[in-house]
Amino acid sequence: RKADRSDLEAHSLRFEASMAALFGQLRQVPFTFYRSGTSRGLFLLDSEVPAKGPMRDALLSRLMGSGHPQQIQGFGGGCGPTSKAVVVGPHAEPNSVTYAFTQCNVDQTGVDNSHGDCGNMLAAVAPFALEKGLAQASLSPGDKTTVMIHSLN
């Protein structure tokens, strides 16, 4: 059966209702989109997303468009390597950050937290931390900057 306009409107209304239930008054979710190696995904600050758990998982799943094979309502690319999310936060040690990796499902709504870390996405954590001010770059010519990354996975 071919979808008609009323089917699309009903789907749109269900989508808006689920978004309102999930996000409440939240209207923006700031993120940075990185390609790192053969992977790509969203990088978010820990302070701008719910605490680790079901609400964060639901947010990341929704942002990536999980639940559709092409992830057409999100930023996922329709396959595992393009459906990843990283949450980065401050750490007590100087020039150190925390890192939590999430593999977002494609066909099914939800995430899979059993993957541990992703080396490709890990490689972009330091640039993201520097860009967001979680770590400070050395400004002396020829100096290198070290950012310590503490995995939460």
Side-chain angles (χ1 to χ4, degrees):
R1 147 168 136 66
K2 195 172 187 179
D4 61 17
R5 185 172 180 82
S6 63
D7 290 336
L8 295 175
E9 288 172 357
H11 178 74
S12 179
L13 289 173
R14 283 193 309 272
F15 177 73
E16 288 176 23
S18 67
M19 292 296 282
L22 176 62
F23 298 119
Q25 297 299 315
L26 183 63
R27 296 289 178 247
Q28 296 181 7
V29 181
F31 65 85
T32 303
F33 195 78
Y34 271 97
R35 176 174 178 185
S36 187
T38 56
S39 297
R40 71 176 191 213
L42 307 179
F43 281 71
L44 303 99
L45 289 172
D46 184 65
S47 61
E48 295 176 339
V49 296
K52 193 169 187 169
M55 289 300 290
R56 179 185 288 184
D57 292 348
L59 171 69
L60 298 176
S61 175
R62 177 67 70 188
L63 287 172
M64 294 306 286
S66 297
H68 186 280
Q70 295 172 317
Q71 295 178 311
I72 59 173
Q73 290 184 335
F75 294 94
C79 64
T82 60
S83 303
K84 299 178 179 196
V86 171
V87 177
V88 180
H91 189 271
E93 297 174 23
N95 266 23
S96 294
V97 296
T98 60
Y99 154 83
F101 168 74
T102 300
Q103 176 66 56
C104 297
N105 295 334
V106 176
D107 290 342
Q108 298 175 346
T109 301
V111 300
D112 181 353
N113 287 309
S114 69
H115 284 271
D117 291 327
C118 171
N120 284 335
M121 298 302 279
L122 180 62
V125 172
F128 177 77
L130 290 165
E131 179 183 324
K132 295 299 181 181
L134 295 174
Q136 302 302 313
S138 173
L139 300 178
S140 300
D143 279 359
K144 293 181 182 179
T145 299
T146 301
V147 177
M148 296 295 295
I149 302 167
H150 303 267
S151 174
L152 300 176
N153 293 81

